Amino acid sequence: MNIYSDGVRYRNFTEAKVQIRMGTLARRFVFTAATRGIKDVPFYCGMPIQIWDDNDRLLTGYIEKMTMQSNGKGHSYVLEGRDLIGDVVDSNLPRIAKMTAPLPQLCEFVLNYLGIEANVIDEALTGERPFKTVIAADPTETAGEFLATQARRKQVLLQSDGFGNIVITAAGGRKVDRQLINRIDGVGNNMLSASLTVDHSQRYGRYSTELQINMSMVSKANLNTRPELIVAERFQTVDDSIRQSRVRTTAADYNLGKDEAKLRNLWEIALNRAEAVKYSVTVPGFRDSVNNNLWEVNTLPTVTDEYNGIKSDRMLIAQIEHVFNQDGKTTNLLLTDKDAFKTELKIRTEIDIDGRNQT
């Protein structure tokens, strides 16, 4: 794993990590190197960099933070940063009015406004589906939050690639000819370690979507005397598998159509259910042993882990962390239910909305 800046190649880092995560726009990196002092450090905050592994680019971005460390074991410095889309995550936007463009054009508008030289790759073909209405970005809302909201309305996810482009993905998971094996007899094992966690702390028994009327209609609706009408409709959804004392309200701060408001609850439930299961695996190297390709998020390898009761199941890679240190190269994979980010909304029949089962 190497850093390049203005064509200059930098190596000899004692530790390096690059993290890629579904549902998070920007890729992150942390590099550590030994030093004899500040004059020995060839980097600075704001420095543009590229990170490569062999011929594959892992990240294009900037150094955002530098830390000098000294202790009894020696002296070192740490570089941290994100890719080009980190500026989208942090920056605010002006009011956007009268825009009903498709999601790719909204992403392009944001990139152009911020002056980021990157492209928009529409893998989900959302360019054929313009919005009926687009909500203006709130002054307190970042560009990343604004785009994530619009992506969720189209039931897609936004990612970045190694070149810093925004990628619109359907997030259904692509089946790949890769296996993760952890058998008791050790035959064919390719995992260094594995752990399984089931976490219900982010699940809720009751969901409520409050649909607001257009605030420009306040005078016509006479809301100055009836403020309770600001919330025009409320959609309740129940997940019977979780205690009903856990309540979550969604979409309370921006306008949605009725159909979107109903689906929002169902998608939140499906997402929370699937994300309750997290399976962590560490494998040697950055690439699979079959095709020598980098491990990728939003793919579905076959997992067999006899210790944790997983029998040849497809699981979704939701997060990747490439790690280089004194022990060599390893990759930490975070896998979850294959439907964790699925957008077709194939919800289990026991989910109930307003007293009616949904399938």
Side-chain angles (χ1 to χ4, degrees):
M1 192 187 299
N2 300 302
I3 284 184
Y4 286 80
S5 181
D6 294 329
V8 179
R9 182 181 182 181
Y10 299 93
R11 293 182 289 183
N12 302 320
F13 293 97
T14 58
E15 186 175 44
K17 297 180 181 179
V18 174
Q19 186 183 83
I20 309 163
R21 183 178 181 181
M22 288 185 66
T24 301
L25 265 174
R27 299 184 175 201
R28 295 178 175 272
F29 70 89
V30 179
F31 277 61
T32 302
T35 181
R36 295 185 297 272
I38 189 66
K39 294 182 180 180
D40 185 47
V41 179
F43 302 101
Y44 56 88
C45 283
M47 187 176 186
I49 55 97
Q50 299 173 2
I51 300 175
W52 294 75
D53 180 66
D54 295 335
N55 294 322
D56 290 302
R57 192 184 301 195
L58 301 178
L59 187 145
T60 302
Y62 298 96
I63 297 171
E64 297 180 307
K65 181 179 179 181
M66 291 181 55
T67 304
M68 302 295 295
Q69 300 176 338
S70 298
N71 54 41
K73 296 181 180 180
H75 313 286
S76 64
Y77 62 91
V78 180
L79 307 175
E80 300 178 57
R82 292 173 295 174
D83 63 17
L84 300 178
I85 308 305
D87 291 346
V88 175
V89 174
D90 296 341
S91 300
N92 295 110
L93 292 173
R95 288 279 184 184
I96 302 175
K98 298 180 180 180
M99 290 191 67
T100 57
L103 181 60
Q105 292 185 31
L106 289 182
C107 294
E108 290 171 357
F109 169 85
V110 169
L111 292 176
N112 291 335
Y113 174 78
L114 297 178
I116 298 173
E117 295 184 3
N119 298 317
V120 178
I121 302 172
D122 186 14
E123 294 181 348
L125 302 179
T126 59
E128 302 173 2
R129 296 180 284 144
F131 290 97
K132 295 180 180 178
T133 60
V134 171
I135 310 306
D138 189 272
T140 62
E141 187 177 40
T142 68
E145 292 167 341
F146 170 74
L147 290 180
T149 296
Q150 308 314 318
R152 180 160 290 196
R153 292 175 63 187
K154 290 299 181 184
Q155 300 169 28
V156 295
L157 292 174
L158 302 179
Q159 305 290 147
S160 62
D161 63 13
F163 293 84
N165 300 316
I166 293 180
V167 180
I168 304 172
T169 175
R174 174 171 54 88
K175 292 183 179 180
V176 291
D177 184 23
R178 300 178 181 179
Q179 293 186 346
L180 293 167
I181 301 173
N182 191 24
R183 294 193 178 99
I184 294 176
D185 59 13
V187 177
N189 287 1
N190 62 349
M191 300 185 195
L192 298 176
S193 64
S195 66
L196 177 66
T197 301
V198 180
D199 181 7
H200 280 194
S201 64
Q202 299 301 314
R203 291 187 59 182
Y204 298 86
R206 287 182 288 165
Y207 291 75
S208 174
T209 295
E210 298 180 352
L211 177 61
Q212 293 184 351
I213 69 166
N214 191 322
M215 294 306 293
S216 65
M217 300 297 291
V218 167
S219 59
K220 294 183 180 179
N222 196 26
L223 293 187
N224 57 326
T225 58
R226 300 181 62 190
E228 71 277 3
L229 292 182
I230 290 178
V231 178
E233 294 192 61
R234 181 177 287 109
F235 297 91
Q236 303 285 342
T237 311
V238 175
D239 183 352
D240 290 329
S241 62
I242 297 296
R243 57 188 179 275
Q244 299 301 291
S245 58
R246 294 184 56 76
V247 180
R248 180 178 178 85
T249 299
T250 63
D253 57 347
Y254 56 88
N255 299 321
L256 292 174
K258 291 183 179 180
D259 292 339
E260 290 176 318
K262 293 178 181 179
L263 293 178
R264 173 64 185 268
N265 278 351
L266 297 177
W267 199 57
E268 288 282 349
I269 291 177
L271 185 63
N272 290 345
R273 280 186 169 182
E275 288 193 317
V277 178
K278 289 182 171 61
Y279 179 62
S280 301
V281 173
T282 299
V283 295
F286 293 171
R287 301 166 186 271
D288 73 273
S289 59
V290 177
N291 301 309
N292 197 37
N293 293 325
L294 289 169
W295 292 98
E296 298 178 80
V297 294
N298 200 24
T299 58
L300 296 166
T302 302
V303 181
T304 300
D305 187 345
E306 295 180 352
Y307 289 93
N308 288 302
I310 303 173
K311 300 179 180 179
S312 299
D313 293 333
R314 294 279 183 179
M315 296 191 72
L316 180 74
I317 297 179
Q319 179 176 309
I320 291 172
E321 185 177 62
H322 296 301
V323 179
F324 168 79
N325 55 31
Q326 66 221 16
D327 297 323
K329 295 179 179 180
T330 57
T331 300
N332 299 323
L333 304 174
L334 179 63
L335 298 96
T336 187
D337 186 290
K338 64 180 181 297
D339 294 329
F341 295 89
K342 202 166 186 178
T343 58
E344 285 81 5
L345 294 173
K346 295 180 179 178
I347 310 302
R348 299 173 176 85
T349 56
E350 67 265 23
I351 294 181
D352 184 85
I353 177 169
D354 293 341
R356 301 182 301 278
N357 284 334
Q358 303 293 305
T359 57

